[in-house]
Amino acid sequence: MGSNNRVEIMEIERDNLDELAEQCDDLKRVPPWNKQITVRGIVASLFIGIIYSVVVMKLNLTTGLVPNLNVSAALLAFVFVRAWTKLLEKAKFTTTPFTRQENTIIQTCAVSCYSIALGGGFGSYLLGLNKRTYEQAGVDTEGNPPGSYKEPALDWMIGFLFVVSFVGLLCLVPLRKIMIIDYKLSYPSGTATAVLINGFHSAKGDKMTKKQVHGFTKFFSLSFVWSFFQWFFAGGDQCGFVFFPTFGLKAFKQSFYFDFSMTYVGAGMICSHLVNLSLLLGAILSWGVMWPLIGKKKGVWFPQNIKETSMESLNGYKIFISIALILGDGLYNFCKTLWFTFRSMHSAFKKKNLQTAPDSKNQTLEARRNEVFIRDTIPFWLALVGYILFSIISIIVIPIMFPPLKWYYVLVAYIFAPSLCFCNAYGAGLTDMNMAYNYGKVALFVLASMVGKENGVVAGLIGCGLIKSMASISSDLMHDFKTGHLTLTSPRSMLVSQVIGTAIGCIVAPLTFFLFYKTFDVGNPNGEYKAPYALVYRNMAILGVEGFSALPHHCLHLCYGFFGFALLANLLRDVGPGKSGKWVPLPMAMAVPFLVGAYFAIDMCVGSLVVYVWHRIDKVRAPMMVPAVASGLICGDGLWILPSCILALFKISPPICMNFLPSKSN
């Protein structure tokens, strides 16, 4: 047994040495930066960006929980271009080699495209401005003044995204060398993506890559066909497999059922077991225990004949208790990340002159990676002039779009934004946690309280979007720079691809949003597309304006309890014993089903169960195949959304309504 282990270890070491030698050879044939960006790459990025924009928009408008899809995008980029080149070769056309640099550029461009759909506020702060959300928050609610809404429209949404997004791109460009080379920040997601891309383009990775491509294609097809099949039975309200009462009708009324969504099953395969179990725990605690108990207090804690959507009804408890969990978790992680960031920076400055003696081959590879990364410089003056120019445009344009947010608030935001972006990007490099949404919430509360009752809600929501977009985009750029550093991709071509992807995203994301907004009943608390975070963000702004007077009866005490629970849970996970601490639930994940329901948590736990069983059966292949299969499930279901929306726009309805009712005897 011991000899077999030694043989395996020797084979692994030999493979690693071969890969190291192969990467050193690749250094000698790195294409120039302008050759790394290709026409087929841009086309592939557009295709992948559109698919993932649709997927992300669906997740945003249903649950608000979106897994990290960067690795999946790198896989899809490889599949797309490999299929493209094979078709051309069969047609007797000559094609240029598909390099890891081109793969990285496609992944970067596609991610920056769908990141606009993810972080553009379509399911949160921008949608929180519409009339429906304004009415759901209560037209008579203090701090929610009449007329404090703005209906979604393509023109102002595209303009707002263009104005806000490009400032974040240029914010931290001059610090790329400090973050990647000097501080040697790991950026785990960026590193994982680079490892995958390097594996695709290595000699030993070719066999496994073929299996991954086959797995992706197979489950992509199955997912698409399954979604198409389900459509035939969804011809009415609460019809089809989506409303299948898996655990009985009584459980179904409390949203406990499996809805056969391949998107959520795939997302559950990507997310960790802890995230999925935290979702399930939150669903059981809220829909299984708390909401039925609070519902019995109707007429005691809240009026008997009040609308279900009112903030003074059960809905108010759902919204504000989830806000308490989100804020407690966010505050803890915000403070923890800041402390960790400053402590790490202090240690880096103290140990600046202390160096270890790495292996000579690794040292050579690292030195040459650094050489490629530094060679194609991005002029400091270009980043500075670009930042100032886009900031001036924002200071002029945003107050015209949203008069409640005065120009001097925007100016102050852009003065402080680079320091906030740096802290966020540095923290993300250490922990892989993008805390942009927490910086946005701080801006929301500060602006809402400063502006006051009349205009505080609108100013807070837009200010939140401004800061969140900048912090998120600048952090994503550093993740991509890390990927580029490890795949020998020029930072200049990375920045250009980011610009192209962001510009595409600023157009694709609003179009995708309106595809859903015009086709489905977005914002209906009883429908599929609840868009729960739109109401959450609006109520946060009202809370910033009014304080605790906006809460329903006894809600404040419950909020105190859950806020404290969020702090305590995070503390136990960090300081508790290793084995028990890692099973402490995540408050942020628990908060999502409080608003949405239990069904998607069950879907994601099914995905987690599939991964667990797969790892038990085949430990070797499972880690490599799980991302490919999960990506296929997500993309297949996501692609069906496009034809289903087109059919709905042409008033073509499914022919059958499959519904489930209690028997006559009951």
Side-chain angles (χ1 to χ4, degrees):
M1 190 76 174
S3 61
N4 287 338
N5 287 337
R6 280 195 296 273
V7 169
E8 286 180 10
I9 291 169
M10 289 174 66
E11 286 179 357
I12 291 169
E13 288 178 349
R14 189 162 54 248
D15 284 342
N16 288 337
L17 287 171
D18 290 342
E19 186 176 350
L20 195 63
E22 186 182 336
Q23 288 192 31
C24 287
D25 289 338
D26 283 343
L27 285 164
K28 300 172 185 176
R29 51 177 187 271
V30 174
W33 75 269
N34 55 345
K35 299 291 184 184
Q36 295 172 12
I37 303 171
T38 61
V39 174
R40 72 181 177 189
I42 300 300
V43 174
S45 302
L46 179 62
F47 175 74
I48 297 165
I50 289 172
I51 289 180
Y52 278 112
S53 291
V54 172
V55 170
V56 165
M57 195 64 71
K58 179 186 176 182
L59 293 170
N60 255 337
L61 297 176
T62 49
T63 64
L65 185 71
V66 183
N68 190 319
L69 300 171
N70 290 20
V71 171
S72 175
L75 172 64
L76 192 54
F78 182 84
V79 170
F80 186 89
V81 177
R82 271 294 171 91
W84 181 327
T85 52
K86 282 186 177 180
L87 283 173
L88 290 178
E89 284 170 5
K90 285 181 180 179
K92 306 299 182 184
F93 286 101
T94 56
T95 58
T96 54
F98 181 39
T99 63
R100 67 187 71 203
Q101 288 79 24
E102 187 180 0
N103 203 157
T104 304
I105 292 298
I106 296 170
Q107 184 267 342
T108 300
C109 189
V111 169
S112 60
C113 175
Y114 77 71
S115 292
I116 304 296
L118 173 62
F122 297 101
S124 54
Y125 53 87
L126 285 188
L127 189 59
L129 289 168
N130 79 336
K131 188 175 181 180
R132 185 173 202 166
T133 310
Y134 158 75
E135 290 172 347
Q136 287 177 352
V139 292
D140 299 324
T141 303
E142 290 290 328
N144 190 36
S148 59
Y149 59 85
K150 189 180 180 73
E151 284 297 301
L154 273 176
D155 52 359
W156 73 258
M157 280 186 158
I158 291 174
F160 176 77
L161 291 172
F162 266 105
V163 166
V164 168
S165 300
F166 285 96
V167 185
L169 273 182
L170 299 168
C171 188
L172 296 183
V173 166
L175 302 179
R176 63 187 175 83
K177 178 180 175 294
I178 294 172
M179 308 285 263
I180 305 299
I181 296 176
D182 297 343
Y183 287 159
K184 300 185 188 302
L185 297 175
S186 60
Y187 288 101
S189 293
T191 300
T193 306
V195 169
L196 184 73
I197 291 172
N198 283 331
F200 286 157
H201 297 273
S202 65
K204 74 167 190 172
D206 194 51
K207 188 177 179 182
M208 179 52 71
T209 300
K210 287 179 180 177
K211 291 179 180 178
Q212 287 177 313
V213 171
H214 177 72
F216 172 85
T217 307
K218 179 181 177 181
F219 283 91
F220 174 88
S221 304
L222 287 172
S223 180
F224 184 85
V225 171
W226 171 243
S227 299
F228 175 54
F229 174 75
Q230 285 189 84
W231 177 81
F232 284 96
F233 300 90
D237 292 336
Q238 295 201 344
C239 295
F241 288 92
V242 176
F243 299 99
F244 191 93
T246 323
F247 310 110
L249 290 171
K250 190 172 283 188
F252 177 80
K253 287 180 180 178
Q254 297 299 326
S255 74
F256 284 91
Y257 58 93
F258 178 63
D259 76 344
F260 296 92
S261 170
M262 294 301 103
T263 295
Y264 294 133
V265 173
M269 293 175 70
I270 292 173
C271 290
S272 68
H273 296 311
L274 181 59
V275 169
N276 297 329
L277 292 174
S278 298
L279 289 168
L280 187 60
L281 177 62
I284 294 169
L285 180 62
S286 56
W287 291 89
V289 180
M290 288 178 58
W291 304 158
L293 290 176
I294 295 175
K296 291 178 181 178
K297 296 292 182 180
K298 193 172 186 178
V300 182
W301 284 15
F302 54 94
Q304 184 79 32
N305 299 319
I306 198 167
K307 287 183 180 179
E308 288 186 7
T309 56
S310 171
M311 286 299 104
E312 295 179 9
S313 70
L314 176 60
N315 195 44
Y317 294 88
K318 295 178 183 179
I319 296 291
F320 288 112
I321 291 173
S322 62
I323 287 174
L325 274 174
I326 291 167
L327 291 180
D329 186 272
L331 179 66
Y332 180 89
N333 284 294
F334 182 70
C335 295
K336 172 187 164 184
T337 305
L338 281 181
W339 177 78
F340 194 29
T341 297
F342 290 126
R343 190 187 70 167
S344 178
M345 288 171 64
H346 179 67
S347 300
F349 282 126
K350 283 180 69 177
K351 297 177 182 179
K352 195 172 182 181
N353 296 322
L354 296 177
Q355 294 183 354
T356 56
D359 178 75
S360 59
K361 287 189 177 180
N362 278 319
Q363 191 176 22
T364 303
L365 178 60
E366 186 67 19
R368 292 189 177 178
R369 279 175 175 165
N370 293 345
E371 179 190 339
V372 172
F373 193 72
I374 296 169
R375 185 175 62 198
D376 294 325
T377 59
I378 301 167
F380 175 79
W381 66 265
L382 180 66
L384 181 62
V385 170
Y387 182 80
I388 293 171
L389 180 63
F390 281 112
S391 298
I392 291 170
I393 293 171
S394 295
I395 291 166
I396 296 169
V397 172
I398 289 177
I400 295 172
M401 286 183 176
F402 305 98
L405 189 62
K406 304 300 181 186
W407 66 269
Y408 41 86
Y409 290 123
V410 182
L411 174 62
V412 171
Y414 282 132
I415 290 172
F416 286 104
S419 57
L420 298 177
C421 292
F422 174 77
C423 291
N424 184 50
Y426 194 97
L430 296 169
T431 65
D432 207 32
M433 291 177 65
N434 189 340
M435 304 298 289
Y437 56 89
N438 280 327
Y439 289 96
K441 286 169 194 166
V442 171
L444 186 151
F445 281 114
V446 170
L447 281 169
S449 60
M450 286 177 66
V451 175
K453 290 186 178 181
E454 289 301 317
N455 299 311
V457 171
V458 175
L461 289 170
I462 297 304
C464 166
L466 196 149
I467 295 294
K468 181 179 179 291
S469 294
M470 284 190 63
S472 179
I473 289 171
S474 58
S475 175
D476 290 344
L477 181 63
M478 286 300 157
H479 273 283
D480 290 332
F481 275 148
K482 181 67 177 182
T483 304
H485 177 250
L486 296 175
T487 57
L488 309 172
T489 308
S490 165
R492 190 177 293 179
S493 61
M494 296 283 287
L495 183 61
V496 172
S497 68
Q498 274 271 357
V499 170
I500 295 169
T502 301
I504 294 170
C506 288
I507 297 169
V508 168
L511 289 171
T512 307
F513 169 75
F514 270 94
L515 190 66
F516 285 90
Y517 196 69
K518 297 295 184 184
T519 308
F520 304 109
D521 191 13
V522 174
N524 180 0
N526 299 315
E528 184 182 359
Y529 293 90
K530 296 176 175 69
Y533 282 99
L535 195 54
V536 165
Y537 271 73
R538 188 169 189 99
N539 278 290
M540 282 185 188
I542 293 171
L543 203 60
V545 172
E546 286 297 313
F548 296 131
S549 62
L551 300 177
H553 198 48
H554 292 301
C555 189
L556 180 59
H557 302 94
L558 292 169
C559 288
Y560 281 147
F562 278 93
F563 184 86
F565 167 78
L567 295 175
L568 182 63
N570 279 291
L571 190 63
L572 283 174
R573 189 166 51 257
D574 286 339
V575 303
K579 288 187 178 179
S580 59
K582 70 179 183 179
W583 290 107
V584 176
L586 300 167
M588 187 72 76
M590 287 179 64
V592 179
F594 274 51
L595 297 165
V596 178
Y599 64 92
F600 86 98
I602 292 168
D603 292 353
M604 293 186 72
C605 283
V606 168
S608 216
L609 180 63
V610 169
V611 172
Y612 175 77
V613 172
W614 200 344
H615 275 272
R616 298 284 293 181
I617 294 171
D618 190 351
K619 288 183 180 179
V620 177
R621 291 182 61 200
M624 292 294 178
M625 292 302 297
V626 163
V629 170
S631 302
L633 292 174
I634 292 170
C635 292
D637 193 31
L639 188 62
W640 168 249
I641 292 172
L642 291 173
S644 69
C645 287
I646 293 168
L647 289 170
L649 289 172
F650 282 98
K651 309 295 183 184
I652 300 173
S653 301
I656 304 168
C657 173
M658 185 175 71
N659 205 342
F660 298 90
L661 302 169
S663 62
K664 289 181 180 179
S665 60
N666 293 331

